[in-house]
């Protein structure tokens, strides 16, 4: 009975088009390659990379301005003055200003990666722009070479075309010949 079941199973798998490797496999739903996979659930927060990149560029642009330097300088001066001149219970960061150092270190540790991210995005844009410029230059060169060949062909063709001066000289030669023919015909008639 076991051999018959195996033979029957083989016949079914051959009829279904299954390969020998999948004969013993459990029946799994077939994966459709013409459709995208369903998104997987993750426990990590999702974010839009483009929105994050735009935000990092805005922050990097602000960090690179004189306004940021002025505000940062004003904040640090105010911090130091407050923590040195205010009454004792109102001071929140005494003389070595450890909390100020921590705040500045935290700001620097976030600013550096954001600036690098903004630079990478700018590099990507520049790369795309350079590629488009290169393709445009190649098209311009191809168009210029085509026009150069066409102009050369026109010059060669013009060498075989009758010009106004050449036509004028031919007509003058014909006119002289016509003027000479009646004179020659009259002299022939006199000679007869």
């Amino acid at each position: 009975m076991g051999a018959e079941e195996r033979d029957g199973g083989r016949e079914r798998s051959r009829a279904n088009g299954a390969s020998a490797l999948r004969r013993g496999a459990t029946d799994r739903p077939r994966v459709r390659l013409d459709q995208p996979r369903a998104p997987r659930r993750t426990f990590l927060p999702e974010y839009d990379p483009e929105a994050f990149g735009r935000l990092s560029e805005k922050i990097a642009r602000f960090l690179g301005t004189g306004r940021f330097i002025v505000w940062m300088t004003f904040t640090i001066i105010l911090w130091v003055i407050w923590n040195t001149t205010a009454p004792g219970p109102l001071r929140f960061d005494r003389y070595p200003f450890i909390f100020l150092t921590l705040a500045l270190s935290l700001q620097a540790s976030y600013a550096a990666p954001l600036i690098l991210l903004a630079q990478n995005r700018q590099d990507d844009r520049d790369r795309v722009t350079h590629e488009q410029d290169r393709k445009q230059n190649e098209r311009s060169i191809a168009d210029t070479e085509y026009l150069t060949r066409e102009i050369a062909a026109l010059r060669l063709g013009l060498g075989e075309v009758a010009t106004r001066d050449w036509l004028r000289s031919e007509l003058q030669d014909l006119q002289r010949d016509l003027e000479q023919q009646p004179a020659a015909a009259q002299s022939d008639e006199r000679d007869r």
Side-chain angles (χ1 to χ4, degrees):
M1 177 109 176
E4 290 174 7
E5 286 178 7
R6 275 186 264 144
D7 289 341
R10 285 184 191 158
E11 293 300 322
R12 276 193 303 260
S13 65
R14 285 185 192 140
N16 291 336
S19 68
L21 295 175
R22 292 204 43 176
R23 283 185 196 143
T26 60
D27 290 332
R28 289 186 282 183
R30 294 184 72 179
V31 176
R32 301 258 334 233
L33 296 177
D34 61 339
Q35 295 177 350
R37 288 183 177 176
R40 295 180 182 172
R41 291 186 180 201
T42 62
F43 294 108
L44 299 174
E46 293 185 20
Y47 69 97
D48 181 16
E50 284 299 312
F52 187 74
R54 286 190 299 271
L55 177 66
S56 69
E57 286 178 342
K58 287 179 183 178
I59 293 170
R61 279 191 204 106
F62 177 68
L63 292 177
T65 62
R67 178 183 290 171
F68 172 75
I69 300 294
V70 168
W71 278 108
M72 186 64 113
T73 305
F74 177 75
T75 304
I76 291 171
I77 290 172
L78 187 67
W79 185 297
V80 169
I81 289 174
W82 179 266
N83 284 301
T84 55
T85 61
L90 295 177
R91 294 182 193 173
F92 55 90
D93 192 17
R94 303 234 175 237
Y95 167 65
F97 304 118
I98 295 174
F99 188 52
L100 175 64
T101 305
L102 178 66
L104 291 175
S105 297
L106 184 65
Q107 182 266 331
S109 67
Y110 275 98
L114 289 174
I115 290 170
L116 288 174
L117 179 62
Q119 286 177 343
N120 289 342
R121 286 175 52 88
Q122 184 63 43
D123 288 342
D124 291 342
R125 279 194 298 272
D126 289 344
R127 191 176 306 112
V128 168
T129 302
H130 289 307
E131 182 65 23
Q132 289 173 346
D133 289 346
R134 187 186 62 75
K135 287 180 181 178
Q136 180 64 34
N137 287 341
E138 287 176 357
R139 284 193 295 263
S140 296
I141 289 170
D143 290 345
T144 303
E145 289 174 352
Y146 172 75
L147 290 174
T148 303
R149 287 192 300 272
E150 288 296 314
I151 289 172
L154 286 173
R155 284 184 179 167
L156 289 174
L158 269 175
E160 299 170 3
V161 174
T163 61
R164 183 174 41 191
D165 294 335
W166 182 80
L167 283 176
R168 189 174 291 141
S169 69
E170 288 295 315
L171 287 175
Q172 288 172 354
D173 290 343
L174 282 175
Q175 186 179 9
R176 273 189 244 123
D177 287 345
L178 287 175
E179 289 173 358
Q180 289 176 358
Q181 279 182 350
Q186 289 174 358
S187 64
D188 283 340
E189 286 178 15
R190 285 187 209 153
D191 290 339
R192 284 189 198 173

